[in-house]
Amino acid sequence: MSRKVHVQTQINGENVEFLCEPRQSMLEVLRNELDLTGAKEGCNNGNCGACTIIVEGRPVNSCCMLGVEAEGKEIQTIEGVATPEGLHPLQQKFLEHAALQCGICTPGFIMNAKVLLETNPNPTEEEVRFWLAGNLCRCTGYDKIIRAVLDTTETTGVSTNG
Amino acid sequence: MQAFDYVAAKSLSEAVNLLTKYRDQARILSGGTDLIVQVRENHRQVGMMVDIKGVPEVNTLSYNGSLEIGASVPCYKIYSNEAIKSNFPALVDATSIIGGVQIQSRASVGGNLCNASPAADSIPALIILGTQCVVNGPDGERSVAVEDFCDGPGQTALESNELLVKLVIPTPAPNASSFYLRFTPRNEMDIAVVGAGAAVELSADHQTFVSARIALGAVAPTPLFADDASSLLAGKPVSDESIEEACEAAKDIATPISDMRGTAAQRTHLVGVLTRRALNGAINRIKEGS
Ligand code: FES
Ligand code: FES
Protein backbone atom coordinates (compact mmCIF):
# COMPACT_ATOMS: atom_id res chain seq x y z
CA MET A 1 0.00 0.00 0.00
CA SER A 2 1.36 3.40 -0.87
CA ARG A 3 1.38 6.29 1.54
CA LYS A 4 -1.65 8.48 1.97
CA VAL A 5 -1.58 11.88 0.39
CA HIS A 6 -2.87 15.06 1.96
CA VAL A 7 -5.25 16.89 -0.40
CA GLN A 8 -6.69 20.38 -0.07
CA THR A 9 -9.67 21.22 -2.21
CA GLN A 10 -12.93 23.12 -2.29
CA ILE A 11 -16.21 21.22 -2.34
CA ASN A 12 -19.53 23.05 -2.64
CA GLY A 13 -17.89 26.30 -1.66
CA GLU A 14 -16.17 24.99 1.47
CA ASN A 15 -12.47 24.33 1.95
CA VAL A 16 -11.98 20.63 2.54
CA GLU A 17 -8.88 18.64 3.44
CA PHE A 18 -8.61 14.89 3.29
CA LEU A 19 -6.12 12.04 3.26
CA CYS A 20 -6.37 9.42 0.55
CA GLU A 21 -4.37 6.78 -1.22
CA PRO A 22 -3.45 7.59 -4.83
CA ARG A 23 -5.48 4.59 -5.98
CA GLN A 24 -8.74 5.93 -4.53
CA SER A 25 -10.99 7.47 -7.13
CA MET A 26 -12.64 10.83 -6.46
CA LEU A 27 -15.91 8.91 -6.23
CA GLU A 28 -14.49 6.67 -3.48
CA VAL A 29 -13.12 9.70 -1.64
CA LEU A 30 -16.47 11.49 -1.77
CA ARG A 31 -18.48 8.48 -0.65
CA ASN A 32 -16.09 6.71 1.75
CA GLU A 33 -13.93 9.46 3.22
CA LEU A 34 -16.18 12.53 3.09
CA ASP A 35 -19.62 10.96 3.55
CA LEU A 36 -20.89 12.70 0.44
CA THR A 37 -22.87 9.79 -0.94
CA GLY A 38 -24.93 11.72 -3.47
CA ALA A 39 -22.69 10.77 -6.40
CA LYS A 40 -23.46 7.14 -7.23
CA GLU A 41 -21.38 4.28 -8.54
CA GLY A 42 -23.05 2.64 -11.53
CA CYS A 43 -20.45 1.16 -13.83
CA ASN A 44 -17.17 2.41 -12.32
CA ASN A 45 -15.73 2.69 -15.85
CA GLY A 46 -16.95 5.94 -17.37
CA ASN A 47 -20.04 4.73 -19.17
CA CYS A 48 -23.06 5.56 -17.01
CA GLY A 49 -22.56 9.08 -15.62
CA ALA A 50 -24.12 8.23 -12.23
CA CYS A 51 -20.95 9.54 -10.56
CA THR A 52 -20.97 12.90 -12.39
CA ILE A 53 -19.61 15.85 -10.41
CA ILE A 54 -18.56 19.32 -11.57
CA VAL A 55 -14.83 20.08 -11.51
CA GLU A 56 -13.76 23.62 -12.41
CA GLY A 57 -17.11 24.17 -14.12
CA ARG A 58 -16.99 20.99 -16.23
CA PRO A 59 -18.94 17.73 -15.79
CA VAL A 60 -16.60 14.87 -14.93
CA ASN A 61 -17.09 11.18 -14.15
CA SER A 62 -15.68 11.01 -10.61
CA CYS A 63 -14.98 7.28 -11.04
CA CYS A 64 -12.45 8.19 -13.76
CA MET A 65 -10.65 10.79 -11.64
CA LEU A 66 -8.24 10.16 -8.77
CA GLY A 67 -8.96 11.75 -5.41
CA VAL A 68 -5.43 13.20 -5.40
CA GLU A 69 -6.30 15.11 -8.57
CA ALA A 70 -8.75 17.23 -6.55
CA GLU A 71 -5.82 19.21 -5.11
CA GLY A 72 -6.50 22.92 -5.58
CA LYS A 73 -9.68 22.36 -7.58
CA GLU A 74 -13.21 23.73 -7.20
CA ILE A 75 -15.69 20.89 -7.03
CA GLN A 76 -19.47 20.78 -6.91
CA THR A 77 -21.53 17.74 -5.98
CA ILE A 78 -25.28 17.15 -5.84
CA GLU A 79 -25.19 17.95 -2.10
CA GLY A 80 -24.44 21.59 -2.94
CA VAL A 81 -27.14 22.10 -5.55
CA ALA A 82 -30.15 22.88 -3.34
CA THR A 83 -29.96 25.93 -1.06
CA PRO A 84 -31.59 26.49 2.34
CA GLU A 85 -34.23 28.48 0.42
CA GLY A 86 -35.23 25.52 -1.69
CA LEU A 87 -34.52 23.15 -4.51
CA HIS A 88 -32.61 24.07 -7.65
CA PRO A 89 -35.00 24.64 -10.60
CA LEU A 90 -33.71 21.44 -12.22
CA GLN A 91 -34.51 19.43 -9.09
CA GLN A 92 -37.97 21.00 -8.95
CA LYS A 93 -38.65 20.15 -12.60
CA PHE A 94 -37.40 16.59 -12.15
CA LEU A 95 -40.02 16.19 -9.42
CA GLU A 96 -42.81 17.81 -11.42
CA HIS A 97 -42.11 15.70 -14.50
CA ALA A 98 -41.55 12.49 -12.51
CA ALA A 99 -38.18 12.31 -14.22
CA LEU A 100 -36.95 9.66 -11.81
CA GLN A 101 -38.03 6.30 -10.50
CA CYS A 102 -35.31 4.54 -8.51
CA GLY A 103 -33.26 7.75 -8.46
CA ILE A 104 -29.80 6.19 -8.82
CA CYS A 105 -29.07 8.11 -12.02
CA THR A 106 -30.62 11.38 -10.86
CA PRO A 107 -27.65 13.11 -9.17
CA GLY A 108 -25.56 12.52 -12.27
CA PHE A 109 -28.25 13.81 -14.62
CA ILE A 110 -28.80 16.92 -12.49
CA MET A 111 -25.09 17.74 -12.30
CA ASN A 112 -24.56 17.25 -16.01
CA ALA A 113 -27.74 19.15 -16.97
CA LYS A 114 -26.69 21.99 -14.65
CA VAL A 115 -23.50 22.51 -16.65
CA LEU A 116 -25.45 22.30 -19.90
CA LEU A 117 -27.77 25.12 -18.84
CA GLU A 118 -24.85 27.17 -17.56
CA THR A 119 -23.04 26.89 -20.90
CA ASN A 120 -26.09 26.84 -23.18
CA PRO A 121 -29.14 28.35 -21.44
CA ASN A 122 -31.57 27.58 -24.28
CA PRO A 123 -30.62 24.20 -25.74
CA THR A 124 -32.68 22.41 -28.36
CA GLU A 125 -34.06 18.97 -27.58
CA GLU A 126 -31.34 17.44 -29.74
CA GLU A 127 -28.66 19.36 -27.83
CA VAL A 128 -30.08 18.16 -24.52
CA ARG A 129 -30.15 14.55 -25.72
CA PHE A 130 -26.56 14.69 -26.99
CA TRP A 131 -25.29 16.44 -23.85
CA LEU A 132 -26.91 13.82 -21.62
CA ALA A 133 -25.76 10.86 -23.76
CA GLY A 134 -23.14 9.97 -21.15
CA ASN A 135 -25.82 9.45 -18.49
CA LEU A 136 -27.69 6.16 -18.42
CA CYS A 137 -31.10 5.58 -16.85
CA ARG A 138 -32.61 2.13 -16.70
CA CYS A 139 -36.01 3.26 -15.37
CA THR A 140 -37.52 6.30 -17.02
CA GLY A 141 -36.94 5.78 -20.73
CA TYR A 142 -35.26 9.22 -20.78
CA ASP A 143 -38.19 11.16 -22.18
CA LYS A 144 -39.30 12.60 -18.86
CA ILE A 145 -35.74 13.61 -18.07
CA ILE A 146 -35.44 15.46 -21.37
CA ARG A 147 -38.82 17.18 -20.75
CA ALA A 148 -37.75 18.22 -17.26
CA VAL A 149 -34.52 19.77 -18.54
CA LEU A 150 -36.27 21.54 -21.42
CA ASP A 151 -38.93 22.83 -19.06
CA THR A 152 -36.23 24.22 -16.78
CA THR A 153 -34.81 26.25 -19.64
CA GLU A 154 -38.21 27.76 -20.37
CA THR A 155 -39.14 28.60 -16.82
CA THR A 156 -35.93 29.79 -15.22
CA GLY A 157 -35.79 32.59 -17.76
CA VAL A 158 -31.99 32.41 -17.82
CA SER A 159 -32.34 33.36 -21.43
CA THR A 160 -35.65 33.66 -23.18
CA ASN A 161 -34.66 35.51 -26.32
CA GLY A 162 -33.28 32.46 -28.12
CA MET B 1 -7.66 -0.85 -7.32
CA GLN B 2 -3.99 -1.88 -7.30
CA ALA B 3 -1.76 0.43 -5.26
CA PHE B 4 0.55 2.90 -6.95
CA ASP B 5 2.42 6.09 -6.17
CA TYR B 6 1.42 9.42 -7.64
CA VAL B 7 3.38 12.53 -8.51
CA ALA B 8 1.97 15.68 -10.07
CA ALA B 9 4.96 16.72 -12.17
CA LYS B 10 5.59 20.45 -12.56
CA SER B 11 8.00 20.34 -15.49
CA LEU B 12 8.91 18.17 -18.47
CA SER B 13 12.27 17.35 -16.93
CA GLU B 14 10.66 16.20 -13.69
CA ALA B 15 8.32 13.93 -15.70
CA VAL B 16 11.18 12.53 -17.79
CA ASN B 17 13.27 11.89 -14.67
CA LEU B 18 10.43 9.93 -13.10
CA LEU B 19 9.96 7.92 -16.30
CA THR B 20 13.70 7.24 -16.39
CA LYS B 21 13.65 6.06 -12.79
CA TYR B 22 10.53 3.89 -12.96
CA ARG B 23 10.61 2.91 -16.69
CA ASP B 24 7.94 0.26 -17.40
CA GLN B 25 6.44 0.73 -13.94
CA ALA B 26 5.51 4.33 -14.72
CA ARG B 27 2.53 5.62 -16.66
CA ILE B 28 1.72 9.15 -17.72
CA LEU B 29 -1.65 10.34 -16.38
CA SER B 30 -3.51 12.99 -18.31
CA GLY B 31 -7.31 12.75 -18.57
CA GLY B 32 -7.25 9.28 -17.02
CA THR B 33 -10.44 8.17 -18.76
CA ASP B 34 -8.67 5.16 -20.27
CA LEU B 35 -5.79 4.71 -17.84
CA ILE B 36 -7.71 4.74 -14.55
CA VAL B 37 -10.19 2.17 -15.88
CA GLN B 38 -7.37 -0.03 -17.25
CA VAL B 39 -5.56 0.03 -13.91
CA ARG B 40 -8.74 -0.65 -11.95
CA GLU B 41 -9.58 -3.61 -14.20
CA ASN B 42 -5.96 -4.87 -13.99
CA HIS B 43 -5.33 -4.52 -17.72
CA ARG B 44 -2.25 -2.52 -16.82
CA GLN B 45 0.22 -2.74 -13.93
CA VAL B 46 1.35 0.65 -12.69
CA GLY B 47 3.77 1.45 -9.86
CA MET B 48 4.02 5.20 -10.44
CA MET B 49 1.49 7.53 -12.00
CA VAL B 50 3.01 10.72 -13.32
CA ASP B 51 0.30 13.36 -13.67
CA ILE B 52 1.49 15.84 -16.30
CA LYS B 53 -1.50 18.21 -16.32
CA GLY B 54 0.54 20.76 -14.36
CA VAL B 55 3.32 20.83 -16.98
CA PRO B 56 2.94 24.04 -19.04
CA GLU B 57 4.08 22.55 -22.39
CA VAL B 58 1.37 19.88 -22.50
CA ASN B 59 -1.39 22.49 -22.08
CA THR B 60 -0.57 24.71 -25.04
CA LEU B 61 -3.24 25.31 -27.66
CA SER B 62 -2.09 27.84 -30.23
CA TYR B 63 -2.47 28.59 -33.91
CA ASN B 64 0.44 30.58 -35.27
CA GLY B 65 1.48 29.35 -38.68
CA SER B 66 0.80 25.83 -37.44
CA LEU B 67 -1.59 24.38 -34.91
CA GLU B 68 0.01 23.17 -31.68
CA ILE B 69 -2.04 21.01 -29.35
CA GLY B 70 -0.47 20.09 -26.03
CA ALA B 71 -0.73 16.41 -25.18
CA SER B 72 -3.09 17.03 -22.23
CA VAL B 73 -5.53 19.47 -23.87
CA PRO B 74 -8.99 17.96 -23.33
CA CYS B 75 -11.39 17.26 -26.20
CA TYR B 76 -13.88 19.98 -25.28
CA LYS B 77 -11.23 22.69 -25.61
CA ILE B 78 -10.36 21.38 -29.05
CA TYR B 79 -13.88 21.30 -30.47
CA SER B 80 -14.72 24.72 -28.96
CA ASN B 81 -11.63 26.38 -30.48
CA GLU B 82 -12.53 28.80 -33.30
CA ALA B 83 -9.27 28.32 -35.26
CA ILE B 84 -9.74 24.55 -35.17
CA LYS B 85 -13.39 24.82 -36.20
CA SER B 86 -12.56 26.80 -39.30
CA ASN B 87 -9.26 25.18 -40.34
CA PHE B 88 -9.24 21.63 -38.98
CA PRO B 89 -12.89 20.51 -38.93
CA ALA B 90 -12.00 16.79 -38.93
CA LEU B 91 -10.57 17.31 -35.44
CA VAL B 92 -13.91 18.74 -34.31
CA ASP B 93 -15.72 15.77 -35.88
CA ALA B 94 -13.49 13.32 -34.01
CA THR B 95 -13.18 14.96 -30.59
CA SER B 96 -16.91 15.62 -30.23
CA ILE B 97 -17.76 11.91 -30.52
CA ILE B 98 -15.20 10.54 -28.05
CA GLY B 99 -17.38 9.42 -25.13
CA GLY B 100 -19.93 11.82 -23.68
CA VAL B 101 -19.31 15.33 -22.34
CA GLN B 102 -18.02 14.02 -19.01
CA ILE B 103 -15.30 12.10 -20.87
CA GLN B 104 -14.61 15.05 -23.18
CA SER B 105 -13.99 17.27 -20.13
CA ARG B 106 -10.87 15.23 -19.33
CA ALA B 107 -9.88 12.98 -22.23
CA SER B 108 -7.13 14.45 -24.42
CA VAL B 109 -6.20 13.80 -28.03
CA GLY B 110 -2.66 13.10 -26.84
CA GLY B 111 -4.04 10.44 -24.51
CA ASN B 112 -6.25 8.99 -27.24
CA LEU B 113 -3.09 8.66 -29.36
CA CYS B 114 -0.87 7.18 -26.62
CA ASN B 115 -3.58 4.69 -25.68
CA ALA B 116 -3.19 3.50 -29.29
CA SER B 117 -6.54 1.82 -29.71
CA PRO B 118 -7.08 0.67 -33.32
CA ALA B 119 -10.53 2.30 -33.09
CA ALA B 120 -9.40 5.65 -31.60
CA ASP B 121 -11.43 8.37 -33.32
CA SER B 122 -8.84 11.14 -33.20
CA ILE B 123 -5.97 9.20 -34.81
CA PRO B 124 -7.34 9.03 -38.40
CA ALA B 125 -8.13 12.75 -38.09
CA LEU B 126 -4.55 13.46 -36.98
CA ILE B 127 -3.16 11.32 -39.81
CA ILE B 128 -5.07 13.09 -42.59
CA LEU B 129 -3.99 16.47 -41.22
CA GLY B 130 -0.30 15.53 -41.48
CA THR B 131 0.38 15.72 -37.74
CA GLN B 132 3.86 15.51 -36.22
CA CYS B 133 4.16 14.19 -32.66
CA VAL B 134 6.73 16.00 -30.52
CA VAL B 135 8.24 13.60 -28.01
CA ASN B 136 10.54 14.41 -25.09
CA GLY B 137 13.00 12.10 -23.34
CA PRO B 138 16.39 12.07 -21.61
CA ASP B 139 18.13 12.87 -24.92
CA GLY B 140 15.89 15.83 -25.68
CA GLU B 141 13.18 16.27 -28.23
CA ARG B 142 12.30 14.28 -31.36
CA SER B 143 9.45 14.28 -33.82
CA VAL B 144 7.45 11.30 -35.13
CA ALA B 145 4.89 11.37 -37.94
CA VAL B 146 1.57 10.35 -36.40
CA GLU B 147 1.04 7.49 -38.89
CA ASP B 148 4.25 5.94 -37.49
CA PHE B 149 3.34 6.50 -33.84
CA CYS B 150 1.20 3.42 -33.16
CA ASP B 151 2.87 0.00 -33.36
CA GLY B 152 -0.08 -2.17 -32.36
CA PRO B 153 -3.05 -2.15 -29.98
CA GLY B 154 -1.80 -0.22 -26.91
CA GLN B 155 1.75 -0.09 -28.34
CA THR B 156 3.48 3.11 -29.44
CA ALA B 157 6.82 4.35 -30.74
CA LEU B 158 7.50 5.90 -27.30
CA GLU B 159 10.43 4.50 -25.32
CA SER B 160 9.55 3.83 -21.69
CA ASN B 161 11.40 7.01 -20.66
CA GLU B 162 9.74 9.26 -23.24
CA LEU B 163 6.49 11.17 -23.25
CA LEU B 164 4.35 12.89 -25.85
CA VAL B 165 4.50 16.68 -25.40
CA LYS B 166 2.44 18.12 -28.22
CA LEU B 167 0.99 17.60 -31.67
CA VAL B 168 1.95 19.98 -34.47
CA ILE B 169 -0.34 20.30 -37.47
CA PRO B 170 0.50 22.37 -40.56
CA THR B 171 -1.91 25.03 -41.83
CA PRO B 172 -4.09 23.67 -44.64
CA ALA B 173 -3.92 25.18 -48.15
CA PRO B 174 -6.64 27.71 -49.16
CA ASN B 175 -8.91 25.28 -51.06
CA ALA B 176 -8.65 22.48 -48.53
CA SER B 177 -10.78 20.92 -45.83
CA SER B 178 -11.17 17.72 -43.85
CA PHE B 179 -13.85 15.38 -42.56
CA TYR B 180 -13.98 12.41 -40.16
CA LEU B 181 -16.85 10.04 -39.53
CA ARG B 182 -17.39 6.58 -38.13
CA PHE B 183 -20.00 3.86 -38.19
CA THR B 184 -21.54 2.96 -34.83
CA PRO B 185 -24.83 1.26 -33.93
CA ARG B 186 -25.53 4.07 -31.44
CA ASN B 187 -25.14 7.76 -32.30
CA GLU B 188 -22.95 8.58 -29.33
CA MET B 189 -21.06 6.92 -26.47
CA ASP B 190 -19.96 4.11 -28.78
CA ILE B 191 -16.76 2.71 -30.28
CA ALA B 192 -16.14 2.87 -34.03
CA VAL B 193 -16.93 -0.29 -36.00
CA VAL B 194 -15.01 1.50 -38.74
CA GLY B 195 -13.77 5.11 -38.89
CA ALA B 196 -12.62 7.06 -41.94
CA GLY B 197 -11.14 10.51 -42.43
CA ALA B 198 -10.23 12.48 -45.51
CA ALA B 199 -8.36 15.75 -46.01
CA VAL B 200 -8.65 17.16 -49.52
CA GLU B 201 -7.11 20.05 -51.44
CA LEU B 202 -8.89 21.08 -54.65
CA SER B 203 -7.95 23.37 -57.52
CA ALA B 204 -9.32 26.92 -57.29
CA ASP B 205 -12.24 26.01 -59.59
CA HIS B 206 -13.04 22.95 -57.43
CA GLN B 207 -12.86 20.66 -60.49
CA THR B 208 -9.60 18.80 -59.74
CA PHE B 209 -8.00 17.10 -56.74
CA VAL B 210 -4.65 18.72 -55.97
CA SER B 211 -4.00 16.21 -53.17
CA ALA B 212 -5.81 14.04 -50.66
CA ARG B 213 -5.02 12.14 -47.48
CA ILE B 214 -7.25 9.27 -46.38
CA ALA B 215 -6.98 7.38 -43.08
CA LEU B 216 -8.91 4.46 -41.61
CA GLY B 217 -9.68 3.28 -38.09
CA ALA B 218 -10.68 -0.10 -36.62
CA VAL B 219 -9.74 -2.18 -39.67
CA ALA B 220 -6.16 -3.16 -38.68
CA PRO B 221 -4.04 -3.44 -35.49
CA THR B 222 -3.34 0.31 -35.80
CA PRO B 223 -5.12 3.21 -37.49
CA LEU B 224 -3.97 3.26 -41.13
CA PHE B 225 -2.81 5.92 -43.55
CA ALA B 226 -4.31 4.86 -46.91
CA ASP B 227 -1.28 5.89 -48.92
CA ASP B 228 -2.22 4.51 -52.37
CA ALA B 229 -5.85 5.59 -52.13
CA SER B 230 -4.66 9.07 -51.22
CA SER B 231 -2.01 9.55 -53.89
CA LEU B 232 -4.08 8.23 -56.79
CA LEU B 233 -6.49 11.15 -56.37
CA ALA B 234 -3.83 13.80 -57.08
CA GLY B 235 -4.54 15.43 -60.45
CA LYS B 236 -7.81 13.51 -60.94
CA PRO B 237 -11.11 15.29 -61.72
CA VAL B 238 -13.53 15.63 -58.82
CA SER B 239 -15.97 12.94 -59.95
CA ASP B 240 -17.78 9.88 -58.65
CA GLU B 241 -15.37 7.72 -60.67
CA SER B 242 -12.21 9.12 -59.04
CA ILE B 243 -13.79 8.84 -55.61
CA GLU B 244 -14.89 5.26 -56.26
CA GLU B 245 -11.37 4.34 -57.33
CA ALA B 246 -9.97 5.74 -54.08
CA CYS B 247 -12.59 3.85 -52.05
CA GLU B 248 -11.61 0.57 -53.70
CA ALA B 249 -7.93 1.26 -53.01
CA ALA B 250 -8.78 2.02 -49.37
CA LYS B 251 -10.66 -1.28 -49.08
CA ASP B 252 -7.55 -3.09 -50.36
CA ILE B 253 -5.49 -2.17 -47.30
CA ALA B 254 -8.15 -3.04 -44.71
CA THR B 255 -7.42 -6.25 -42.79
CA PRO B 256 -10.25 -6.18 -40.25
CA ILE B 257 -11.17 -8.85 -37.73
CA SER B 258 -14.65 -10.17 -37.03
CA ASP B 259 -15.89 -9.50 -33.51
CA MET B 260 -19.06 -8.55 -31.65
CA ARG B 261 -19.04 -5.13 -33.31
CA GLY B 262 -19.04 -6.41 -36.87
CA THR B 263 -17.74 -9.01 -39.28
CA ALA B 264 -14.66 -8.55 -41.42
CA ALA B 265 -16.83 -8.45 -44.56
CA GLN B 266 -19.09 -5.75 -43.12
CA ARG B 267 -16.09 -3.70 -42.02
CA THR B 268 -14.46 -3.90 -45.46
CA HIS B 269 -17.73 -2.82 -47.05
CA LEU B 270 -17.94 0.06 -44.57
CA VAL B 271 -14.46 1.25 -45.53
CA GLY B 272 -15.79 1.92 -49.02
CA VAL B 273 -18.93 3.66 -47.80
CA LEU B 274 -17.21 5.80 -45.17
CA THR B 275 -14.27 6.76 -47.39
CA ARG B 276 -16.72 8.04 -49.99
CA ARG B 277 -18.64 10.00 -47.37
CA ALA B 278 -15.45 11.42 -45.85
CA LEU B 279 -14.17 12.57 -49.25
CA ASN B 280 -17.52 14.09 -50.19
CA GLY B 281 -17.80 15.66 -46.74
CA ALA B 282 -14.42 17.36 -47.14
CA ILE B 283 -15.25 18.45 -50.72
CA ASN B 284 -18.56 19.95 -49.59
CA ARG B 285 -16.84 21.86 -46.84
CA ILE B 286 -14.43 23.36 -49.37
CA LYS B 287 -17.35 24.36 -51.59
CA GLU B 288 -19.20 25.89 -48.65
CA GLY B 289 -16.02 27.79 -47.86
CA SER B 290 -15.71 26.37 -44.38
S1 FES C 1 -19.90 5.09 -12.14
FE1 FES C 1 -18.72 6.62 -13.10
S2 FES C 1 -19.49 6.64 -15.12
FE2 FES C 1 -20.55 4.98 -14.22
S1 FES D 1 -34.45 6.49 -12.27
FE1 FES D 1 -33.64 4.50 -12.02
S2 FES D 1 -31.89 4.54 -13.25
FE2 FES D 1 -32.80 6.43 -13.71
Side-chain angles (χ1 to χ4, degrees):
Chain A
M1 210 195 297
S2 56
R3 274 194 304 140
K4 290 202 173 187
V5 180
H6 178 238
V7 178
Q8 281 185 293
T9 185
Q10 203 191 81
I11 301 179
N12 300 327
E14 284 177 27
N15 293 327
V16 174
E17 295 182 37
F18 58 83
L19 288 174
C20 74
E21 285 182 64
R23 66 170 163 180
Q24 285 180 284
S25 69
M26 190 61 205
L27 179 63
E28 286 163 341
V29 168
L30 288 171
R31 296 183 56 86
N32 303 342
E33 310 297 331
L34 302 173
D35 280 335
L36 292 169
T37 56
K40 304 297 184 220
E41 179 184 312
C43 62
N44 221 12
N45 62 22
N47 272 289
C48 76
C51 64
T52 303
I53 59 171
I54 302 175
V55 181
E56 302 283 302
R58 289 289 307 181
V60 160
N61 293 322
S62 60
C63 72
C64 294
M65 170 182 172
L66 300 177
V68 287
E69 289 182 84
E71 175 68 38
K73 297 280 187 303
E74 264 181 44
I75 290 170
Q76 295 171 53
T77 68
I78 188 69
E79 285 87 351
V81 169
T83 61
E85 287 72 54
L87 294 176
H88 184 278
L90 271 168
Q91 293 173 310
Q92 188 58 43
K93 288 298 172 190
F94 266 62
L95 283 177
E96 288 172 18
H97 286 263
L100 63 151
Q101 289 177 36
C102 78
I104 283 276
C105 68
T106 313
F109 269 102
I110 301 263
M111 298 314 280
N112 198 17
K114 185 167 179 285
V115 181
L116 168 65
L117 298 187
E118 283 161 6
T119 42
N120 179 5
N122 252 328
T124 63
E125 176 173 341
E126 192 183 351
E127 286 170 332
V128 174
R129 287 184 183 273
F130 265 95
W131 189 275
L132 297 178
N135 293 80
L136 300 185
C137 173
R138 63 175 292 279
C139 302
T140 64
Y142 300 100
D143 212 58
K144 294 175 173 188
I145 295 173
I146 306 300
R147 302 283 148 238
V149 174
L150 285 169
D151 196 16
T152 313
T153 68
E154 283 155 15
T155 53
T156 50
V158 193
S159 160
T160 45
N161 326 322
Chain B
M1 202 173 345
Q2 54 180 288
F4 50 81
D5 288 314
Y6 168 93
V7 174
K10 291 278 172 293
S11 68
L12 274 184
S13 56
E14 186 185 0
V16 170
N17 287 342
L18 285 163
L19 291 178
T20 306
K21 183 167 170 204
Y22 290 91
R23 304 292 295 215
D24 290 337
Q25 276 299 300
R27 283 303 289 183
I28 295 289
L29 173 69
S30 194
T33 52
D34 281 315
L35 180 61
I36 292 171
V37 175
Q38 289 163 358
V39 171
R40 175 179 294 132
E41 296 175 358
N42 281 320
H43 297 312
R44 251 186 220 287
Q45 300 304 313
V46 175
M48 165 59 76
M49 267 214 214
V50 184
D51 187 344
I52 55 166
K53 290 190 292 294
V55 174
E57 289 89 338
V58 302
N59 290 303
T60 53
L61 182 58
S62 67
Y63 185 49
N64 258 328
S66 61
L67 175 68
E68 297 202 355
I69 304 178
S72 289
V73 175
C75 287
Y76 85 95
K77 285 197 178 161
I78 293 171
Y79 62 67
S80 331
N81 182 283
E82 292 305 323
I84 297 179
K85 282 191 212 170
S86 41
N87 299 295
F88 309 93
L91 266 185
V92 175
D93 299 334
T95 49
S96 50
I97 54 175
I98 295 176
V101 286
Q102 295 99 321
I103 299 288
Q104 292 155 10
S105 293
R106 302 232 317 151
S108 62
V109 166
N112 200 222
L113 177 59
C114 291
N115 193 53
S117 160
D121 287 305
S122 71
I123 305 179
L126 293 172
I127 292 175
I128 61 174
L129 294 170
T131 306
Q132 289 288 320
C133 312
V134 176
V135 167
N136 201 297
D139 302 327
E141 210 166 83
R142 68 184 178 107
S143 221
V144 185
V146 72
E147 54 267 39
D148 302 326
F149 192 85
C150 300
D151 290 341
Q155 303 294 318
T156 70
L158 290 176
E159 300 295 332
S160 59
N161 56 2
E162 289 182 320
L163 78 159
L164 178 68
V165 179
K166 64 183 174 187
L167 303 159
V168 180
I169 306 180
T171 301
N175 289 298
S177 196
S178 58
F179 197 96
Y180 172 79
L181 80 170
R182 66 180 183 187
F183 177 81
T184 49
R186 199 186 157 195
N187 270 341
E188 64 294 293
M189 289 293 290
D190 210 337
I191 295 171
V193 178
V194 175
V200 169
E201 182 188 350
L202 299 182
S203 57
D205 61 5
H206 298 169
Q207 300 300 308
T208 313
F209 287 103
V210 174
S211 66
R213 285 176 71 87
I214 297 166
L216 308 172
V219 291
T222 65
L224 295 178
F225 173 45
D227 205 343
D228 291 345
S230 304
S231 51
L232 68 78
L233 282 172
K236 290 268 168 62
V238 176
S239 66
D240 291 346
E241 291 70 37
S242 328
I243 290 172
E244 223 30 67
E245 212 185 322
C247 293
E248 287 305 315
K251 281 161 76 172
D252 285 345
I253 62 160
T255 53
I257 53 166
S258 293
D259 65 9
M260 64 188 223
R261 300 186 180 284
T263 63
Q266 183 200 13
R267 285 191 157 109
T268 306
H269 170 74
L270 281 168
V271 168
V273 175
L274 297 182
T275 301
R276 185 172 68 239
R277 290 184 189 170
L279 284 166
N280 282 324
I283 292 166
N284 287 337
R285 280 178 174 163
I286 297 171
K287 291 183 175 166
E288 290 159 8
S290 78

